[in-house]
Amino acid sequence: MAAPLWLAGGPQPWPPAHLTGYVSPSRLAACGGLVSLGISDTLASTVGKYYGRRKICGGWPKTVEGTAAGIVGGALFSFALQWLLQLREVDALPLEDCRILLASVGAGLLEATTAQMDNIFIPLHYFALMMI
Protein backbone atom coordinates (compact mmCIF):
# COMPACT_ATOMS: atom_id res chain seq x y z
CA MET A 1 0.00 0.00 0.00
CA ALA A 2 2.93 2.36 0.64
CA ALA A 3 4.82 1.59 -2.58
CA PRO A 4 3.25 4.49 -4.57
CA LEU A 5 4.28 6.90 -1.80
CA TRP A 6 7.85 5.61 -1.94
CA LEU A 7 7.95 5.81 -5.73
CA ALA A 8 6.64 9.39 -5.68
CA GLY A 9 9.57 10.45 -3.53
CA GLY A 10 8.03 10.26 -0.08
CA PRO A 11 6.23 13.00 1.81
CA GLN A 12 6.71 16.46 0.35
CA PRO A 13 5.71 19.91 1.57
CA TRP A 14 2.09 20.77 0.82
CA PRO A 15 1.89 22.65 -1.59
CA PRO A 16 5.47 22.92 -2.83
CA ALA A 17 6.73 26.46 -3.21
CA HIS A 18 8.58 25.78 -6.46
CA LEU A 19 5.48 24.55 -8.28
CA THR A 20 3.50 27.67 -9.01
CA GLY A 21 0.34 26.96 -10.91
CA TYR A 22 1.34 23.42 -11.87
CA VAL A 23 0.15 20.34 -10.04
CA SER A 24 2.37 17.32 -10.34
CA PRO A 25 0.49 14.10 -11.03
CA SER A 26 2.81 12.36 -8.56
CA ARG A 27 1.04 14.11 -5.69
CA LEU A 28 -2.20 12.23 -6.26
CA ALA A 29 -0.38 9.16 -7.56
CA ALA A 30 1.37 8.92 -4.17
CA CYS A 31 -2.06 8.21 -2.66
CA GLY A 32 -2.52 5.27 -5.04
CA GLY A 33 -2.40 2.65 -2.30
CA LEU A 34 -5.09 4.40 -0.31
CA VAL A 35 -7.32 4.89 -3.35
CA SER A 36 -6.86 1.50 -4.99
CA LEU A 37 -6.87 -0.75 -1.92
CA GLY A 38 -8.47 1.31 0.80
CA ILE A 39 -11.40 2.60 -1.23
CA SER A 40 -11.81 0.82 -4.59
CA ASP A 41 -10.98 -2.72 -3.50
CA THR A 42 -13.03 -2.47 -0.31
CA LEU A 43 -16.03 -0.97 -2.09
CA ALA A 44 -15.83 -3.53 -4.91
CA SER A 45 -15.70 -6.40 -2.44
CA THR A 46 -18.58 -5.13 -0.33
CA VAL A 47 -20.89 -4.24 -3.22
CA GLY A 48 -20.00 -7.42 -5.08
CA LYS A 49 -20.72 -9.59 -2.04
CA TYR A 50 -24.08 -8.08 -1.15
CA TYR A 51 -25.44 -6.79 -4.47
CA GLY A 52 -23.45 -8.61 -7.14
CA ARG A 53 -25.53 -10.78 -9.45
CA ARG A 54 -23.58 -11.06 -12.72
CA LYS A 55 -20.27 -12.90 -12.50
CA ILE A 56 -17.47 -11.67 -14.72
CA CYS A 57 -16.66 -15.26 -15.74
CA GLY A 58 -18.21 -18.58 -14.87
CA GLY A 59 -16.80 -19.85 -11.59
CA TRP A 60 -15.14 -16.49 -10.90
CA PRO A 61 -16.18 -14.88 -7.61
CA LYS A 62 -15.91 -11.30 -8.86
CA THR A 63 -18.98 -9.52 -10.19
CA VAL A 64 -19.72 -6.77 -12.68
CA GLU A 65 -21.56 -4.75 -10.03
CA GLY A 66 -18.64 -4.90 -7.60
CA THR A 67 -16.14 -3.93 -10.28
CA ALA A 68 -18.27 -0.97 -11.39
CA ALA A 69 -18.69 0.20 -7.78
CA GLY A 70 -14.93 0.00 -7.21
CA ILE A 71 -14.16 2.00 -10.34
CA VAL A 72 -16.74 4.71 -9.63
CA GLY A 73 -15.86 4.90 -5.92
CA GLY A 74 -12.14 5.15 -6.61
CA ALA A 75 -12.62 7.90 -9.17
CA LEU A 76 -14.95 9.90 -6.92
CA PHE A 77 -12.59 9.54 -3.96
CA SER A 78 -9.66 10.68 -6.11
CA PHE A 79 -11.57 13.76 -7.24
CA ALA A 80 -12.54 14.53 -3.63
CA LEU A 81 -8.97 13.99 -2.43
CA GLN A 82 -7.67 16.26 -5.16
CA TRP A 83 -10.09 18.97 -4.07
CA LEU A 84 -9.58 18.52 -0.31
CA LEU A 85 -5.81 18.58 -0.49
CA GLN A 86 -5.91 21.49 -2.92
CA LEU A 87 -3.91 19.59 -5.51
CA ARG A 88 -5.72 21.20 -8.37
CA GLU A 89 -6.04 24.70 -9.66
CA VAL A 90 -9.55 25.86 -10.51
CA ASP A 91 -8.67 26.26 -14.17
CA ALA A 92 -6.53 23.10 -14.44
CA LEU A 93 -6.46 21.13 -17.64
CA PRO A 94 -8.90 18.26 -18.10
CA LEU A 95 -5.81 16.07 -18.47
CA GLU A 96 -5.81 15.60 -14.69
CA ASP A 97 -9.38 14.33 -14.84
CA CYS A 98 -8.43 11.93 -17.63
CA ARG A 99 -5.55 10.59 -15.55
CA ILE A 100 -7.86 9.90 -12.63
CA LEU A 101 -10.42 8.16 -14.81
CA LEU A 102 -7.76 6.13 -16.62
CA ALA A 103 -6.12 5.03 -13.37
CA SER A 104 -9.45 4.15 -11.75
CA VAL A 105 -10.68 2.12 -14.71
CA GLY A 106 -7.31 0.43 -15.21
CA ALA A 107 -6.93 -0.53 -11.56
CA GLY A 108 -10.54 -1.71 -11.41
CA LEU A 109 -10.18 -3.92 -14.45
CA LEU A 110 -6.91 -5.36 -13.18
CA GLU A 111 -8.60 -6.13 -9.86
CA ALA A 112 -11.47 -7.82 -11.66
CA THR A 113 -9.32 -10.01 -13.90
CA THR A 114 -6.38 -11.04 -11.75
CA ALA A 115 -6.42 -14.00 -9.40
CA GLN A 116 -3.14 -13.79 -7.51
CA MET A 117 -1.31 -11.12 -5.52
CA ASP A 118 -3.57 -8.33 -6.70
CA ASN A 119 -3.04 -6.29 -3.53
CA ILE A 120 0.64 -5.99 -4.39
CA PHE A 121 0.25 -4.99 -8.02
CA ILE A 122 -2.87 -2.83 -8.06
CA PRO A 123 -1.35 0.17 -6.21
CA LEU A 124 1.66 0.04 -8.52
CA HIS A 125 -0.61 -0.19 -11.55
CA TYR A 126 -2.64 2.80 -10.31
CA PHE A 127 0.58 4.76 -9.73
CA ALA A 128 1.91 3.98 -13.20
CA LEU A 129 -1.35 5.01 -14.87
CA MET A 130 -1.43 8.28 -12.90
CA MET A 131 2.08 9.09 -14.09
CA ILE A 132 1.19 8.78 -17.79
Side-chain angles (χ1 to χ4, degrees), residues 63-105:
T63 65
V64 173
E65 293 85 1
T67 300
I71 290 170
V72 171
L76 290 177
F77 184 79
S78 294
F79 287 126
L81 190 64
Q82 187 182 42
W83 179 75
L84 286 172
L85 298 177
Q86 298 175 353
L87 295 177
R88 179 183 176 153
E89 300 288 322
V90 174
D91 57 346
L93 294 174
L95 180 61
E96 299 301 317
D97 296 339
C98 292
R99 279 191 182 118
I100 289 173
L101 293 174
L102 174 69
S104 297
V105 170

Side-chain angles (χ1 to χ4, degrees), residues 3-106:
L5 180 62
W6 297 335
L7 290 172
Q12 299 167 358
W14 227 266
H18 66 282
L19 295 177
T20 57
Y22 173 73
V23 177
S24 170
S26 68
R27 293 244 179 249
L28 193 57
C31 300
L34 173 67
V35 173
S36 63
L37 293 181
I39 303 299
S40 294
D41 193 27
T42 304
L43 191 59
S45 176
T46 304
V47 170
K49 181 176 181 177
Y50 292 110
Y51 302 105
R53 299 289 178 255
R54 292 180 292 267
K55 303 286 185 193
I56 291 178
C57 293
W60 195 254
K62 298 179 181 181
T63 65
V64 173
E65 293 85 1
T67 300
I71 290 170
V72 171
L76 290 177
F77 184 79
S78 294
F79 287 126
L81 190 64
Q82 187 182 42
W83 179 75
L84 286 172
L85 298 177
Q86 298 175 353
L87 295 177
R88 179 183 176 153
E89 300 288 322
V90 174
D91 57 346
L93 294 174
L95 180 61
E96 299 301 317
D97 296 339
C98 292
R99 279 191 182 118
I100 289 173
L101 293 174
L102 174 69
S104 297
V105 170

